[in-house]
Amino acid sequence: MATSGQRGGFNSKLGFILAAAGSAIGLGNIWRFPYSAGENGGAAFILVYLVAVVFICMPVLFAELAIGRATQKSPVGAFEQLAPKSGWKFVGGLGVLTGFAILAFYAVIAGWTIGYVGKAVMGEFSNMASSEAAEAVFTALSGSPWYSTALTALFLALTALVVRGGVQGGIERAAKVLMPIFLVLLVGLCIRSVTLPGASEGLSFLFKVDFSKITLPVVVSALGQALFSMSLGMGAMITYGSYVSRKERLPGAAVGVGLADTVIAMLAGLMVFPALFAAGGSPDAGPGLVFIAMPSIFHSLPAGSVIAVFFYMLLAIAALTSTISLLEVVVAYFVDQWNWSRRMATWGVTFACFLLAIPSALSGDFLGFQSVLFGNYALSIGALLICLFVGWRWGVAAAVAEIYHGLETRPLGGVWSALVRYVCPVVILGLIVAIILNSVFGLGMTF
Ligand code: TRP
């Protein structure tokens, strides 16, 4: 594939779709989506989420991919090229910093999933009959400084080993192996869940929309969740887009990535809620849902301990293809802008990230703080600036030409332009204002 010299690139369109979908599909889908939906009224949340994906996130995804593919550069270099000698490169810089910081708390949660695979293999879930017992296990694991830190280090090391292998030999290859395993595990667990006696209550929670539940906090959480889930707002998709050859057609690939992420979030809901309701659990358990509520139901499921092993493997795999993309953004920055070797950039960034991860591994409060600061604030600010850049600085005409490069027609080009220029900036600005008001006045929105 003909991407510029040293940088490397994806070998095929399928390789790109799998890697980008792997980035998008992560703890956001399997861990955060179910508990956000559970806390925010189920079907009402899901409906708003779908609207946000179509009208806000897909346009932003196209914007990021266009910037990346047009420049074949990672975020800082890309902004520099499209808007020379301007402050826009700081948007790229903010993205790199955000990626680094998200990786530093995400890897801690990802580490717990490996710890839980270990517990599942050892059959420890058989004695987690009550949610009190499950909570005690979770507190013991996440509260153990050494264990939590070691698992974080392990997860970061696994991530680094893949990223060190380069775009084609590492990222694309890992995605091609991991994503099919992931899909098989997920579909299998969904079938098990929806066929349990008592599953129907979970299904109606997911699909029967109560319109009175669509409140401002629900809209804010759903939109924030959708941005995070599609890996938007920090240049991850700029970076992955920069590895796509200009011979490939972007629109189909981008739609494939957005669709995959959304379908997988829905499947995660189908996996968690029927099983949860069947076992009499409550959907609003918050962030502990998959670590506390799920373990306490495994023992009541037939072959529960085997299911538990698969469930946490699923989480770990989803997390790994996401941490890969977070690390890649930072590594690509040092490779592209500072001419570091990929090897030095990978291990240097990974080690620095581990240092920043330690406080999150030691304290749930610090982890939560990092998650709000970077997962909510920085990402939405980044997404806003990206829309403004593409809509008003680089220009929608150039971006549309890039997106539809190689195609004869430009379906929806005008709709996309209007969304990126007007709708997305206004809505995302509203999101930022809402999360600021929520932080200052405590409006009770949880993310
Ligand atoms: N989207 C991933 C998830 O759902 C997390 C993630 C990976 C991410 N790369 C990102 C989020 C870049 C925001 C930006 O778990």
Side-chain angles (χ1 to χ4, degrees):
M1 157 159 194
T3 37
S4 51
Q6 294 287 331
R7 297 185 77 238
F10 294 114
N11 184 37
S12 67
K13 187 156 116 183
L14 180 69
F16 160 73
I17 295 176
L18 287 174
S23 165
I25 297 164
L27 294 171
N29 301 59
I30 317 278
W31 166 69
R32 196 163 122 160
F33 178 81
Y35 86 70
S36 298
E39 285 182 329
N40 288 292
F45 174 92
I46 293 176
L47 180 67
V48 180
Y49 179 88
L50 293 175
V51 172
V53 166
V54 174
F55 293 100
I56 309 296
C57 296
M58 282 310 295
V60 179
L61 176 63
F62 273 105
E64 287 205 24
L65 291 176
I67 294 174
R69 210 211 12 199
T71 57
Q72 305 277 305
K73 289 196 166 75
S74 51
V76 175
F79 282 102
E80 245 166 24
Q81 178 176 326
L82 296 175
K85 300 194 176 56
S86 73
W88 284 104
K89 64 171 176 289
F90 292 110
V91 179
L94 173 70
V96 173
L97 183 72
T98 306
F100 183 74
I102 291 181
L103 180 58
F105 75 80
Y106 197 95
V108 176
I109 306 167
W112 298 339
T113 67
I114 299 221
Y116 267 67
V117 172
K119 287 185 187 303
V121 170
M122 306 301 281
E124 281 188 41
F125 292 106
S126 49
N127 49 28
M128 282 190 215
S130 66
S131 54
E132 289 75 30
E135 188 168 354
V137 170
F138 178 66
T139 315
L141 180 129
S142 61
S144 150
W146 288 112
Y147 197 36
S148 208
T149 309
L151 288 170
T152 304
L154 175 65
F155 210 91
L156 284 172
L158 284 174
T159 308
L161 283 174
V162 175
V163 169
R164 160 77 192 88
V167 180
Q168 226 179 88
I171 299 172
E172 183 169 352
R173 204 165 64 164
K176 281 183 168 162
V177 175
L178 294 175
M179 293 312 283
I181 301 177
F182 170 86
L183 197 64
V184 170
L185 286 177
L186 181 62
V187 170
L189 288 170
C190 278
I191 293 174
R192 173 67 280 202
S193 183
V194 298
T195 52
L196 287 167
S200 58
E201 205 187 327
L203 294 176
S204 56
F205 179 76
L206 278 173
F207 297 117
K208 263 176 85 185
V209 182
D210 174 353
F211 286 91
S212 70
K213 287 201 176 138
I214 303 183
T215 58
L216 184 69
V218 169
V219 173
V220 168
S221 320
L223 177 58
Q225 168 63 23
L227 279 175
F228 182 85
S229 186
M230 282 174 62
S231 301
L232 299 172
M234 52 143 281
M237 291 300 174
I238 295 180
T239 307
Y240 274 20
S242 77
Y243 299 134
V244 177
S245 158
R246 296 199 78 230
K247 285 191 223 132
E248 308 285 359
R249 297 170 176 188
L250 261 191
V255 170
V257 172
L259 202 63
D261 185 61
T262 307
V263 168
I264 297 296
M266 299 301 133
L267 287 177
L270 271 182
M271 166 177 69
V272 170
F273 289 110
L276 190 71
F277 279 93
S282 142
D284 55 359
L289 186 67
V290 301
F291 291 109
I292 297 169
M294 290 303 286
S296 65
I297 69 176
F298 286 131
H299 87 281
S300 66
L301 300 179
S305 42
V306 180
I307 295 178
V309 176
F310 288 136
F311 179 75
Y312 291 105
M313 271 173 48
L314 178 84
L315 271 173
I317 292 173
L320 182 59
T321 50
S322 296
T323 53
I324 288 169
S325 76
L326 290 161
L327 180 58
E328 175 62 22
V329 172
V330 190
V331 166
Y333 166 75
F334 285 103
V335 171
D336 289 352
Q337 301 298 121
W338 297 94
N339 277 319
W340 288 18
S341 71
R342 178 166 275 272
R343 183 165 147 210
M344 181 164 101
T346 303
W347 292 112
V349 170
T350 302
F351 182 69
C353 191
F354 172 64
L355 296 181
L356 181 62
I358 293 175
S360 287
L362 300 182
S363 146
D365 287 341
F366 190 81
L367 193 159
F369 167 74
Q370 291 272 85
S371 157
V372 170
L373 189 60
F374 294 100
N376 295 336
Y377 280 97
L379 281 188
S380 21
I381 292 170
L384 173 65
L385 292 170
I386 287 166
C387 289
L388 294 176
F389 177 78
V390 171
W392 300 94
R393 169 71 205 237
W394 183 32
V396 283
V400 163
E402 180 59 41
I403 292 169
Y404 295 99
H405 181 78
L407 278 88
E408 265 123 54
T409 58
R410 297 173 171 187
L412 299 179
V415 176
W416 176 80
S417 303
L419 288 171
V420 168
R421 283 167 74 109
Y422 306 104
V423 180
C424 297
V426 170
V427 172
I428 297 171
L429 185 63
L431 170 71
I432 296 168
V433 171
I435 56 184
I436 291 174
L437 292 178
N438 184 50
S439 301
V440 177
F441 299 110
L443 303 181
M445 300 182 204
T446 47
F447 302 107

